[in-house]
Amino acid sequence: MIRSPLMTVMTDAVMKASRSLKRDFGEVENLQVSRKGPGDFVSAADRKAEQILRDALMKARPGYGLVMEEEGEVKGTDPNHRWHIDPLDGTTNFLHGLPQFAISVGLERDGQVVAGVIYDPIKDELFIAEKGKGAYLNNRRIRVAARIEMADAVVACGLPHIAKGDHGVFIKELSAVMGNVGGMRRFGAAALDLAYVACGRLDAYWERGLNSWDVAAGLLMIREAGGYLSDADGGPDPLVTGSVVCGNEVMHRELLKLLKTAKR
């Protein structure tokens, strides 16, 4: 396990927020829910967890900026550091009583993500990574899966929401991929999809239409677990483009090839 001061700050903040989420998940039918847009919901639990994270992180590192799902960007006095915060990745799962959601916090320094925490409060699984120090699930070092045959692979993806994303492109990509892999999965929480690739539960994953708070922590997790990643078109910076393809070296390369065939 990584025991740096930075990781202590991040895990403490995430654990505080998780206690609030677990209480609200137990009362999910009573939550006050409003619509942000078609198919995209925000709950009182989401906002409360974000405020807990914001307060804890600003207290520990008062000069750092924040990029948050609900409140947007808050610039800090330190221009070199920004937190990317998703207080509840998998909101729709949460609101339907599906226990597949997580808190995700990534720290960007000078344009690069240098630390990440993803916590699943229902399964009590804490994924952490710090640049150059590896990636861990609870107290165990994790690595991406070693499979090299796409026919044996389990691959995850994201689905575009109502009125969001290019559904036609996704259908073509899904058709290109699913006939060549052992199985397809769609779990509905991007941060956990990335963490699952990092620890070898999934062999590969791709999704478009993501935000920095969805992927910041998970991208570092993949790299520190020995994985390869790019955006969905093979570009170098998923954090900027909002799409991702990842896996081990072979899975990443082969999945990219399949996605490119969908454009023909």
Side-chain angles (χ1 to χ4, degrees):
M1 182 65 83
I2 303 166
R3 303 194 182 279
S4 67
L6 175 59
M7 196 52 59
T8 298
V9 165
M10 296 176 73
T11 55
D12 284 353
V14 165
M15 288 302 177
K16 286 178 183 176
S18 74
R19 290 192 285 272
S20 172
L21 281 185
K22 282 192 283 190
R23 284 194 300 268
D24 285 334
F25 187 66
E27 300 293 333
V28 67
E29 70 276 8
N30 297 322
L31 290 176
Q32 295 291 324
V33 179
S34 62
R35 285 199 176 204
K36 285 194 298 189
D40 191 10
F41 299 97
V42 59
S43 69
D46 203 329
R47 295 184 183 279
K48 185 163 54 177
E50 184 171 274
Q51 189 62 52
I52 292 169
L53 288 166
R54 176 178 176 170
D55 291 348
L57 293 172
M58 290 186 73
K59 181 179 180 180
R61 297 290 190 274
Y64 290 12
L66 303 100
V67 183
M68 299 172 287
E69 182 177 14
E70 303 304 334
E71 294 188 37
E73 183 171 0
V74 176
K75 294 190 179 298
T77 57
D78 179 346
N80 302 315
H81 291 87
R82 295 194 304 173
W83 300 109
H84 294 264
I85 298 171
D86 193 341
L88 178 51
D89 183 45
T91 306
T92 302
N93 286 348
F94 183 93
L95 291 175
H96 286 77
L98 296 170
Q100 183 74 4
F101 57 88
I103 300 168
S104 179
V105 178
L107 176 63
E108 178 190 358
R109 175 183 297 146
D110 297 325
Q112 292 190 338
V113 181
V114 296
V117 172
I118 298 169
Y119 183 55
D120 179 340
I122 300 302
K123 302 179 190 69
D124 192 27
E125 290 188 332
L126 179 67
F127 298 86
I128 66 170
E130 195 167 346
K131 188 175 180 181
K133 298 182 180 180
Y136 292 80
L137 166 52
N138 294 340
N139 292 312
R140 177 174 61 87
R141 184 79 179 259
I142 55 175
R143 299 283 296 179
V144 293
R147 295 182 189 87
I148 59 173
E149 298 293 335
M150 292 297 284
D152 298 328
V154 173
V155 177
C157 65
L159 298 176
H161 294 181
I162 298 170
K164 182 179 179 183
D166 192 322
H167 292 238
V169 167
F170 172 75
I171 293 299
K172 290 179 181 179
E173 290 182 340
L174 180 62
S175 179
V177 174
M178 68 181 181
N180 291 278
V181 301
M184 292 290 308
R185 301 290 185 270
R186 199 279 185 176
F187 294 116
L192 286 178
D193 288 335
L194 290 164
Y196 285 8
V197 173
C199 73
R201 292 174 181 170
L202 294 170
D203 296 291
Y205 161 66
W206 94 95
E207 186 165 356
R208 297 182 184 272
L210 296 164
N211 298 290
S212 68
W213 51 80
D214 297 314
V215 300
L219 295 179
L220 180 66
M221 211 82 60
I222 297 288
R223 291 189 176 104
E224 289 296 317
Y228 287 71
L229 59 87
S230 65
D231 71 21
D233 299 305
D237 200 344
L239 195 67
V240 173
T241 61
S243 68
V244 64
V245 175
C246 60
N248 66 27
E249 183 177 12
V250 174
M251 292 292 169
H252 172 253
R253 181 179 66 241
E254 295 303 313
L255 182 52
L256 268 180
K257 286 180 182 178
L258 290 173
L259 296 176
K260 286 178 181 178
T261 67
K263 295 182 178 180
R264 296 174 185 170

